[in-house]
Amino acid sequence: QVQLVESGGDLVRPGDSLRLSCELSGGFLNHYAIAWIRQAPGQEREAVSYTESGGSYTLYLKAVEGRFTISRDNAKDTVFLQMNRLKVEDTAVYYCAARGRGGDGSNWRALSTYRFWGKGTQVTVSS
């Protein structure tokens, strides 16, 4: 059974950077497209970034474009989310989620399409 484990969340100040990691076990990362999804307090979950299985293209929520970078190391079965210039509104629990490879990513923000989910890591941005 595929399992995903996130790490790297922390309490930081506005303008700081963090790098989140998502390690996949029980399968091969190159079989899956991966999304980072966040849930702020009192808010619905929203997908913030996506990488297709081969890593040839990535997608971002407009609010994080230019500040966040998703990458993947298929040899290490790990996906990263580099978050720069963090803002208070980035505070959330960040989850990684996986779905089978294929498709063009056009429905990457549809959370119901992700089969496997991690338990999340807390990112708090506060002065």
Side-chain angles (χ1 to χ4, degrees):
Q1 177 75 351
V2 169
Q3 292 188 321
L4 300 169
V5 178
E6 305 93 336
S7 61
D10 205 347
L11 169 63
V12 297
R13 296 188 181 277
D16 285 353
S17 297
L18 272 180
R19 187 173 84 154
L20 306 183
S21 299
C22 169
E23 185 171 358
L24 182 146
S25 62
F28 298 102
L29 183 63
N30 62 5
H31 290 185
Y32 298 97
I34 302 292
W36 283 98
I37 293 156
R38 69 184 180 187
Q39 186 168 25
Q43 304 293 319
E44 298 289 318
R45 290 186 181 185
E46 63 176 356
V48 296
S49 190
Y50 174 90
T51 171
E52 63 84 37
S53 59
S56 63
Y57 67 87
T58 57
L59 299 167
Y60 296 94
L61 180 70
K62 191 172 179 64
V64 307
E65 206 160 17
R67 299 188 298 121
F68 290 12
T69 303
I70 191 170
S71 62
R72 62 194 294 152
D73 185 339
N74 283 345
K76 295 182 178 179
D77 293 321
T78 303
V79 176
F80 304 98
L81 185 68
Q82 177 67 42
M83 306 188 294
N84 298 330
R85 303 196 307 277
L86 282 159
K87 302 177 180 181
V88 171
E89 51 264 42
D90 295 319
T91 295
V93 178
Y94 283 73
Y95 303 88
C96 62
R99 68 185 193 186
R101 59 189 170 188
D104 62 2
S106 59
N107 64 345
W108 71 282
R109 296 188 65 188
L111 303 187
S112 63
T113 64
Y114 295 94
R115 180 178 178 188
F116 302 106
W117 289 71
K119 295 183 178 180
T121 185
Q122 176 70 48
V123 173
T124 302
V125 186
S126 175
S127 56

